[in-house]
Amino acid sequence: MSTAISYTPRSKYESSHLSMFNIAGYAFLFLLISISLVHAIIISVRFEVLQTYGATNFIRAEQLAFQIHKGLELAESKNYEFCSDEDLKHLRKIKSTYFFLDDIGRVSGNKILCTVEKGMLDSTINVGPVEITSDKGFEYRNSQTDLIRNEKNKPIITYQNSVVFVSSAYLHLSKYGHFKVNGMAGVTYQNLGSRYVYSFFGNLLPNQIEPSVAHKNTLSDWLPLPNNFITMSQCNGIYNICITAIDTRPGLYAIPLTNLIIILTVLIALSFAFGYTLENFRVGPKAFARRLKSVIYQDNIYPVYQPQINIETKEVVGVESLARWDDSTLGMISPEIFIRVAEDSGLIEKLTKKITNKIFLELSDVLEANRSFTVSLNISTQLLTSDTFINFINDAVSQYKFNRNQVILEVTERTDSEKGKMASFSKKLKEQGYQVSIDDFGTGVSNLSWLSTLEPNEIKVDKTFTQSIEEQTVTSITLEGIFSMLEHLQVKVVFEGIETEQQRDYIFKRVPKSIGQGWLFAKPKEIDELKEFLDFCFNNNYLPAN
């Protein structure tokens, strides 16, 4: 599938250099999301508390509304003379029954005549203007003078000729008492088109009452933004009394500063850990392998074919198939890189099978039409002991009408420890009818003992030797030794990497019956271009200009 694999340094595609900028970006995004998530979780937990907080105060508000209405209705149920002993006795009984009423008395117009606590007044007191009137005639006022304790702004409600004063105990309980939660507040009000406020409690300020009551929760309230708040409202439809409970410090804002610092420190540490992990996943050592696996699965690695030429007759006698990967993001990636990664990550067998099926499908008509034409496939040393691979090759070839001896399987020797495996593999392949080639001859541990052990049909001389012709280098001296060795061998010889006329002529003088492969004759071609090239060569008996 590729030319011989050399053990080069890691490529830029496999680089494990992590970008601190990207890590910081991922960390910031994670921190933002995690802070928002923790904030939202705390809000959701506190919202349940807010509901309990509001419900508890709402029970008191319903009790208050009931006692006001019932007390005033009972006061008007008797026709005693105003402020007479019988009348005051009647009112006193009502006051003792309804504990949220501080006092109850009689009015005429806007003047208070008497109360249970004060009796007949020496001089009448003005109850103040009406703020809201209900459809049943209940008038809600805020008196500037409390007749009982000299407190200001206490709620006063009148109905016909009766008046009640809301108990200071209710106001005190509502403001300070029965259910106090840090950061939570509320307001109790009569909702009659406009609002009549009985009391507000918690850390709520007067100028915050109207915005809080009118507020409708939105998604933005769940974000950790300053000055956000969450509300929950309940109303009684009979008495039109409502309560709005407010979480004025939602989410993280409710946490004490020391605890908040600890939480943020942990989240920052986790954010950078996440950023490092994500960046490592994206460009770390295993990222390239994951991408390769996806490309193999999508069948996006394709074959190209480099023609092989008889140096003596100049006939095209076969092709070597080479795998190519043109990535949409990374660009063209050398097979020396992705084949090695496929071997390291256990993907080589799947890749080999995928590309082999493509090769046979694309070349079947050429091979069937010319029984002397061959195709060379590179086989990874990892497949040397795989019986399943030989079975795969047999099954793949059996689908077409060309012969097994038209398929040359190239193996590369790397260490002497592989000699036994390669010998067994070579024997099995030849028994099945395939040809065996030793690829990259001269770069590994090739010697006469290897050749006698494997008994290959072909050897391929590595391009590094071909391109050293006429240079006084150690490689060129080694090439002379290879030439001397080849003179005594009865095997087909292929020289890779022929790029100049001088290289071809020199090889022809030394090994005239050899096969040449290189850019001098033809560059690797995709299947359509290859078939045009072959048609020209077969029809004209010479090579086209390259």
Side-chain angles (χ1 to χ4, degrees), residues 380-397:
S380 168
T381 56
Q382 288 189 9
L383 303 178
L384 296 183
T385 59
S386 174
D387 290 332
T388 60
F389 180 75
I390 294 180
N391 294 335
F392 159 75
I393 285 288
N394 289 337
D395 291 341
V397 173

Side-chain angles (χ1 to χ4, degrees), residues 170-432:
Y170 168 80
L171 299 177
H172 185 81
L173 183 65
S174 176
K175 188 172 184 180
Y176 302 109
H178 56 272
F179 197 91
K180 185 176 182 181
V181 180
N182 181 41
M184 291 191 181
V187 55
T188 304
Y189 54 95
Q190 201 76 40
N191 192 24
L192 296 168
S194 57
R195 298 182 181 91
Y196 172 83
V197 176
Y198 287 104
S199 66
F200 56 93
F201 43 92
N203 58 342
L204 199 66
L205 299 176
N207 61 352
Q208 296 174 320
I209 292 176
E210 185 58 33
S212 298
V213 171
H215 180 75
K216 302 296 182 184
N217 294 331
T218 63
L219 182 61
S220 63
D221 295 323
W222 289 70
L223 298 177
L225 302 175
N227 301 319
N228 273 0
F229 57 91
I230 302 291
T231 63
M232 188 282 302
S233 297
Q234 288 179 276
C235 289
N236 182 305
I238 298 175
Y239 301 116
N240 293 314
I241 193 167
C242 302
I243 183 169
T244 296
I246 309 119
D247 188 352
T248 63
R249 298 176 187 170
L252 292 171
Y253 293 98
I255 299 175
L257 180 60
T258 302
N259 294 344
L260 182 60
I261 292 173
I262 293 174
I263 291 174
L264 292 178
T265 301
V266 171
L267 289 179
I268 290 171
L270 290 175
S271 297
F272 275 96
F274 170 82
Y276 175 84
T277 302
L278 186 60
E279 178 69 357
N280 188 61
F281 182 85
R282 191 181 70 87
V283 299
K286 295 183 180 180
F288 187 81
R290 287 192 297 270
R291 191 175 187 91
L292 175 60
K293 182 177 181 180
S294 174
V295 169
I296 294 173
Y297 177 79
Q298 295 169 8
D299 212 18
N300 288 337
I301 293 181
Y302 60 94
V304 295
Y305 307 91
Q306 188 165 31
Q308 296 175 328
I309 313 298
N310 185 309
I311 290 181
E312 183 178 33
T313 65
K314 297 184 180 180
E315 294 177 308
V316 183
V317 295
V319 292
E320 179 185 6
S321 60
L322 308 167
R324 291 292 183 264
W325 176 10
D326 188 3
D327 191 84
S328 59
T329 301
L330 302 176
M332 186 64 72
I333 301 173
S334 169
E336 293 187 354
I337 295 168
F338 69 77
I339 294 297
R340 173 163 55 81
V341 173
E343 291 178 329
D344 293 342
S345 56
L347 298 171
I348 190 62
E349 184 169 1
K350 183 179 290 291
L351 173 58
T352 301
K353 290 180 177 179
K354 283 258 188 179
I355 202 75
T356 298
N357 281 327
K358 279 189 178 182
I359 291 167
F360 288 168
L361 177 64
E362 292 181 350
L363 279 181
S364 60
D365 56 341
V366 176
L367 294 169
E368 291 169 0
N370 188 343
R371 297 294 176 171
S372 63
F373 197 86
T374 62
V375 57
S376 298
L377 310 175
N378 282 267
I379 304 300
S380 168
T381 56
Q382 288 189 9
L383 303 178
L384 296 183
T385 59
S386 174
D387 290 332
T388 60
F389 180 75
I390 294 180
N391 294 335
F392 159 75
I393 285 288
N394 289 337
D395 291 341
V397 173
S398 67
Q399 299 179 46
Y400 305 97
K401 296 180 180 180
F402 57 83
N403 299 324
R404 290 183 180 181
N405 65 2
Q406 291 179 264
V407 179
I408 302 174
L409 300 173
E410 300 180 4
V411 294
T412 303
E413 86 292 2
R414 299 215 185 278
T415 67
D416 260 337
S417 63
E418 297 173 352
K419 184 184 292 187
K421 295 179 182 179
M422 290 185 67
S424 175
F425 189 66
S426 176
K427 182 179 179 181
K428 289 180 181 179
L429 289 175
K430 290 197 294 182
E431 287 174 351
Q432 297 289 333

